[in-house]
mmCIF file of all heavy atoms in Angstrom:
data_model
loop_
_atom_site.group_PDB
_atom_site.id
_atom_site.type_symbol
_atom_site.label_atom_id
_atom_site.label_comp_id
_atom_site.label_asym_id
_atom_site.label_seq_id
_atom_site.Cartn_x
_atom_site.Cartn_y
_atom_site.Cartn_z
ATOM 1 N N GLY C 1 -45.509 21.428 59.837
ATOM 2 C CA GLY C 1 -46.385 20.876 58.824
ATOM 3 C C GLY C 1 -47.712 21.586 58.709
ATOM 4 O O GLY C 1 -48.420 21.407 57.712
ATOM 5 N N ARG C 2 -48.069 22.383 59.696
ATOM 6 C CA ARG C 2 -49.312 23.146 59.681
ATOM 7 C C ARG C 2 -49.078 24.643 59.545
ATOM 8 O O ARG C 2 -49.849 25.334 58.894
ATOM 9 C CB ARG C 2 -50.120 22.881 60.951
ATOM 10 C CG ARG C 2 -50.502 21.429 61.162
ATOM 11 C CD ARG C 2 -51.476 21.275 62.319
ATOM 12 N NE ARG C 2 -50.893 21.715 63.588
ATOM 13 C CZ ARG C 2 -51.405 22.678 64.358
ATOM 14 N NH1 ARG C 2 -52.505 23.314 63.991
ATOM 15 N NH2 ARG C 2 -50.817 23.006 65.508
ATOM 16 N N PHE C 3 -48.025 25.135 60.176
ATOM 17 C CA PHE C 3 -47.718 26.564 60.165
ATOM 18 C C PHE C 3 -46.532 26.828 59.246
ATOM 19 O O PHE C 3 -45.619 26.006 59.134
ATOM 20 C CB PHE C 3 -47.366 27.059 61.563
ATOM 21 C CG PHE C 3 -48.505 27.088 62.543
ATOM 22 C CD1 PHE C 3 -49.729 26.512 62.265
ATOM 23 C CD2 PHE C 3 -48.330 27.711 63.769
ATOM 24 C CE1 PHE C 3 -50.766 26.542 63.176
ATOM 25 C CE2 PHE C 3 -49.363 27.750 64.693
ATOM 26 C CZ PHE C 3 -50.579 27.166 64.396
ATOM 27 N N THR C 4 -46.533 27.991 58.628
ATOM 28 C CA THR C 4 -45.432 28.414 57.783
ATOM 29 C C THR C 4 -45.074 29.858 58.105
ATOM 30 O O THR C 4 -45.933 30.739 58.039
ATOM 31 C CB THR C 4 -45.775 28.297 56.294
ATOM 32 O OG1 THR C 4 -46.132 26.947 55.976
ATOM 33 C CG2 THR C 4 -44.577 28.708 55.440
ATOM 34 N N VAL C 5 -43.817 30.092 58.442
ATOM 35 C CA VAL C 5 -43.350 31.442 58.701
ATOM 36 C C VAL C 5 -42.624 31.954 57.465
ATOM 37 O O VAL C 5 -41.898 31.203 56.804
ATOM 38 C CB VAL C 5 -42.446 31.492 59.953
ATOM 39 C CG1 VAL C 5 -41.174 30.679 59.748
ATOM 40 C CG2 VAL C 5 -42.127 32.931 60.324
ATOM 41 N N SER C 6 -42.835 33.204 57.148
ATOM 42 C CA SER C 6 -42.177 33.815 56.006
ATOM 43 C C SER C 6 -41.958 35.290 56.296
ATOM 44 O O SER C 6 -42.509 35.832 57.257
ATOM 45 C CB SER C 6 -42.996 33.628 54.722
ATOM 46 O OG SER C 6 -44.266 34.245 54.833
ATOM 47 N N ARG C 7 -41.149 35.926 55.473
ATOM 48 C CA ARG C 7 -40.925 37.349 55.665
ATOM 49 C C ARG C 7 -40.748 38.035 54.328
ATOM 50 O O ARG C 7 -40.302 37.436 53.345
ATOM 51 C CB ARG C 7 -39.709 37.608 56.563
ATOM 52 C CG ARG C 7 -38.371 37.225 55.958
ATOM 53 C CD ARG C 7 -37.259 37.278 57.001
ATOM 54 N NE ARG C 7 -37.047 38.628 57.512
ATOM 55 C CZ ARG C 7 -36.418 38.906 58.656
ATOM 56 N NH1 ARG C 7 -35.952 37.917 59.417
ATOM 57 N NH2 ARG C 7 -36.266 40.173 59.032
ATOM 58 N N ASP C 8 -41.090 39.293 54.317
ATOM 59 C CA ASP C 8 -40.895 40.148 53.165
ATOM 60 C C ASP C 8 -40.159 41.379 53.670
ATOM 61 O O ASP C 8 -40.768 42.294 54.218
ATOM 62 C CB ASP C 8 -42.220 40.522 52.516
ATOM 63 C CG ASP C 8 -42.050 41.283 51.219
ATOM 64 O OD1 ASP C 8 -40.976 41.865 50.990
ATOM 65 O OD2 ASP C 8 -42.999 41.300 50.419
ATOM 66 N N ASN C 9 -38.855 41.377 53.511
ATOM 67 C CA ASN C 9 -38.056 42.463 54.057
ATOM 68 C C ASN C 9 -38.362 43.799 53.387
ATOM 69 O O ASN C 9 -38.228 44.853 54.012
ATOM 70 C CB ASN C 9 -36.568 42.137 53.937
ATOM 71 C CG ASN C 9 -36.131 41.051 54.896
ATOM 72 O OD1 ASN C 9 -36.832 40.742 55.864
ATOM 73 N ND2 ASN C 9 -34.975 40.466 54.644
ATOM 74 N N ALA C 10 -38.759 43.759 52.130
ATOM 75 C CA ALA C 10 -39.114 44.992 51.442
ATOM 76 C C ALA C 10 -40.338 45.643 52.060
ATOM 77 O O ALA C 10 -40.507 46.864 51.983
ATOM 78 C CB ALA C 10 -39.360 44.724 49.960
ATOM 79 N N LYS C 11 -41.209 44.837 52.658
ATOM 80 C CA LYS C 11 -42.409 45.338 53.314
ATOM 81 C C LYS C 11 -42.269 45.420 54.825
ATOM 82 O O LYS C 11 -43.230 45.786 55.513
ATOM 83 C CB LYS C 11 -43.611 44.465 52.965
ATOM 84 C CG LYS C 11 -43.974 44.458 51.493
ATOM 85 C CD LYS C 11 -45.187 43.584 51.233
ATOM 86 C CE LYS C 11 -45.573 43.606 49.774
ATOM 87 N NZ LYS C 11 -46.755 42.740 49.513
ATOM 88 N N ASN C 12 -41.108 45.062 55.343
ATOM 89 C CA ASN C 12 -40.881 45.062 56.788
ATOM 90 C C ASN C 12 -41.950 44.257 57.521
ATOM 91 O O ASN C 12 -42.471 44.679 58.560
ATOM 92 C CB ASN C 12 -40.844 46.486 57.330
ATOM 93 C CG ASN C 12 -39.549 47.204 57.017
ATOM 94 O OD1 ASN C 12 -38.657 46.667 56.368
ATOM 95 N ND2 ASN C 12 -39.438 48.442 57.478
ATOM 96 N N THR C 13 -42.256 43.088 56.993
ATOM 97 C CA THR C 13 -43.353 42.301 57.526
ATOM 98 C C THR C 13 -42.978 40.827 57.611
ATOM 99 O O THR C 13 -42.330 40.290 56.709
ATOM 100 C CB THR C 13 -44.615 42.461 56.673
ATOM 101 O OG1 THR C 13 -44.977 43.845 56.611
ATOM 102 C CG2 THR C 13 -45.782 41.678 57.266
ATOM 103 N N VAL C 14 -43.396 40.197 58.689
ATOM 104 C CA VAL C 14 -43.254 38.763 58.892
ATOM 105 C C VAL C 14 -44.652 38.163 58.984
ATOM 106 O O VAL C 14 -45.561 38.784 59.539
ATOM 107 C CB VAL C 14 -42.445 38.454 60.160
ATOM 108 C CG1 VAL C 14 -42.395 36.954 60.422
ATOM 109 C CG2 VAL C 14 -41.044 39.009 60.037
ATOM 110 N N TYR C 15 -44.808 36.968 58.455
ATOM 111 C CA TYR C 15 -46.107 36.318 58.427
ATOM 112 C C TYR C 15 -46.043 34.958 59.108
ATOM 113 O O TYR C 15 -45.009 34.306 59.141
ATOM 114 C CB TYR C 15 -46.583 36.114 56.986
ATOM 115 C CG TYR C 15 -46.601 37.368 56.165
ATOM 116 C CD1 TYR C 15 -45.530 37.690 55.343
ATOM 117 C CD2 TYR C 15 -47.692 38.239 56.213
ATOM 118 C CE1 TYR C 15 -45.538 38.851 54.586
ATOM 119 C CE2 TYR C 15 -47.706 39.391 55.461
ATOM 120 C CZ TYR C 15 -46.634 39.697 54.651
ATOM 121 O OH TYR C 15 -46.655 40.847 53.902
ATOM 122 N N LEU C 16 -47.172 34.546 59.623
ATOM 123 C CA LEU C 16 -47.338 33.186 60.104
ATOM 124 C C LEU C 16 -48.630 32.647 59.511
ATOM 125 O O LEU C 16 -49.721 33.021 59.948
ATOM 126 C CB LEU C 16 -47.379 33.118 61.627
ATOM 127 C CG LEU C 16 -47.425 31.710 62.219
ATOM 128 C CD1 LEU C 16 -46.118 30.967 61.930
ATOM 129 C CD2 LEU C 16 -47.690 31.756 63.720
ATOM 130 N N GLN C 17 -48.495 31.804 58.512
ATOM 131 C CA GLN C 17 -49.644 31.152 57.912
ATOM 132 C C GLN C 17 -49.983 29.923 58.736
ATOM 133 O O GLN C 17 -49.153 29.027 58.881
ATOM 134 C CB GLN C 17 -49.348 30.762 56.466
ATOM 135 C CG GLN C 17 -50.491 30.032 55.769
ATOM 136 C CD GLN C 17 -51.695 30.912 55.558
ATOM 137 O OE1 GLN C 17 -51.570 32.051 55.124
ATOM 138 N NE2 GLN C 17 -52.875 30.397 55.869
ATOM 139 N N MET C 18 -51.185 29.874 59.254
ATOM 140 C CA MET C 18 -51.608 28.794 60.122
ATOM 141 C C MET C 18 -52.727 28.019 59.444
ATOM 142 O O MET C 18 -53.801 28.556 59.197
ATOM 143 C CB MET C 18 -52.072 29.335 61.474
ATOM 144 C CG MET C 18 -51.032 30.192 62.175
ATOM 145 S SD MET C 18 -51.554 30.737 63.823
ATOM 146 C CE MET C 18 -52.924 31.808 63.363
ATOM 147 N N ASN C 19 -52.462 26.773 59.146
ATOM 148 C CA ASN C 19 -53.438 25.892 58.524
ATOM 149 C C ASN C 19 -53.781 24.745 59.464
ATOM 150 O O ASN C 19 -53.063 24.473 60.419
ATOM 151 C CB ASN C 19 -52.897 25.334 57.206
ATOM 152 C CG ASN C 19 -52.585 26.406 56.194
ATOM 153 O OD1 ASN C 19 -53.263 27.432 56.118
ATOM 154 N ND2 ASN C 19 -51.555 26.170 55.382
ATOM 155 N N SER C 20 -54.868 24.073 59.162
ATOM 156 C CA SER C 20 -55.309 22.925 59.969
ATOM 157 C C SER C 20 -55.329 23.268 61.447
ATOM 158 O O SER C 20 -54.815 22.529 62.292
ATOM 159 C CB SER C 20 -54.408 21.717 59.703
ATOM 160 O OG SER C 20 -54.430 21.358 58.335
ATOM 161 N N LEU C 21 -55.921 24.387 61.762
ATOM 162 C CA LEU C 21 -55.909 24.874 63.137
ATOM 163 C C LEU C 21 -56.679 23.946 64.067
ATOM 164 O O LEU C 21 -57.692 23.353 63.689
ATOM 165 C CB LEU C 21 -56.478 26.281 63.197
ATOM 166 C CG LEU C 21 -55.519 27.371 62.710
ATOM 167 C CD1 LEU C 21 -56.262 28.655 62.406
ATOM 168 C CD2 LEU C 21 -54.429 27.614 63.753
ATOM 169 N N LYS C 22 -56.177 23.856 65.275
ATOM 170 C CA LYS C 22 -56.751 23.014 66.306
ATOM 171 C C LYS C 22 -57.160 23.872 67.498
ATOM 172 O O LYS C 22 -56.611 24.949 67.705
ATOM 173 C CB LYS C 22 -55.735 21.964 66.766
ATOM 174 C CG LYS C 22 -55.173 21.101 65.658
ATOM 175 C CD LYS C 22 -54.084 20.180 66.186
ATOM 176 C CE LYS C 22 -53.502 19.320 65.087
ATOM 177 N NZ LYS C 22 -52.427 18.429 65.599
ATOM 178 N N PRO C 23 -58.102 23.401 68.304
ATOM 179 C CA PRO C 23 -58.488 24.180 69.493
ATOM 180 C C PRO C 23 -57.313 24.515 70.399
ATOM 181 O O PRO C 23 -57.316 25.578 71.025
ATOM 182 C CB PRO C 23 -59.492 23.258 70.196
ATOM 183 C CG PRO C 23 -60.106 22.480 69.084
ATOM 184 C CD PRO C 23 -58.973 22.232 68.109
ATOM 185 N N GLU C 24 -56.315 23.659 70.468
ATOM 186 C CA GLU C 24 -55.159 23.934 71.301
ATOM 187 C C GLU C 24 -54.285 25.059 70.771
ATOM 188 O O GLU C 24 -53.367 25.516 71.458
ATOM 189 C CB GLU C 24 -54.312 22.669 71.505
ATOM 190 C CG GLU C 24 -54.026 21.920 70.225
ATOM 191 C CD GLU C 24 -54.989 20.766 69.995
ATOM 192 O OE1 GLU C 24 -56.206 20.969 70.138
ATOM 193 O OE2 GLU C 24 -54.513 19.656 69.675
ATOM 194 N N ASP C 25 -54.554 25.529 69.557
ATOM 195 C CA ASP C 25 -53.866 26.693 69.020
ATOM 196 C C ASP C 25 -54.486 27.996 69.515
ATOM 197 O O ASP C 25 -54.015 29.079 69.132
ATOM 198 C CB ASP C 25 -53.898 26.682 67.490
ATOM 199 C CG ASP C 25 -53.192 25.474 66.892
ATOM 200 O OD1 ASP C 25 -52.126 25.086 67.416
ATOM 201 O OD2 ASP C 25 -53.705 24.926 65.902
ATOM 202 N N THR C 26 -55.506 27.906 70.334
ATOM 203 C CA THR C 26 -56.212 29.077 70.841
ATOM 204 C C THR C 26 -55.409 29.736 71.960
ATOM 205 O O THR C 26 -55.481 29.327 73.120
ATOM 206 C CB THR C 26 -57.604 28.686 71.347
ATOM 207 O OG1 THR C 26 -58.375 28.155 70.271
ATOM 208 C CG2 THR C 26 -58.323 29.898 71.920
ATOM 209 N N VAL C 27 -54.653 30.733 71.574
ATOM 210 C CA VAL C 27 -53.805 31.484 72.491
ATOM 211 C C VAL C 27 -53.550 32.849 71.872
ATOM 212 O O VAL C 27 -53.952 33.127 70.751
ATOM 213 C CB VAL C 27 -52.449 30.786 72.761
ATOM 214 C CG1 VAL C 27 -52.631 29.506 73.563
ATOM 215 C CG2 VAL C 27 -51.736 30.490 71.446
#
């Protein structure tokens, strides 16, 4: 519900969109 993973194979790239970040996401 906060993070979204996606990929663009044409660009050889994977993304992780991180929203509503919390201090415990600090890694």
Side-chain angles (χ1 to χ4, degrees):
R2 301 189 298 122
F3 291 10
T4 302
V5 64
S6 61
R7 68 190 296 161
D8 187 339
N9 288 343
K11 297 181 178 179
N12 284 1
T13 302
V14 176
Y15 306 96
L16 185 66
Q17 178 67 46
M18 305 184 294
N19 299 326
S20 301
L21 283 163
K22 305 175 181 179
E24 48 263 47
D25 298 320
T26 298
V27 291

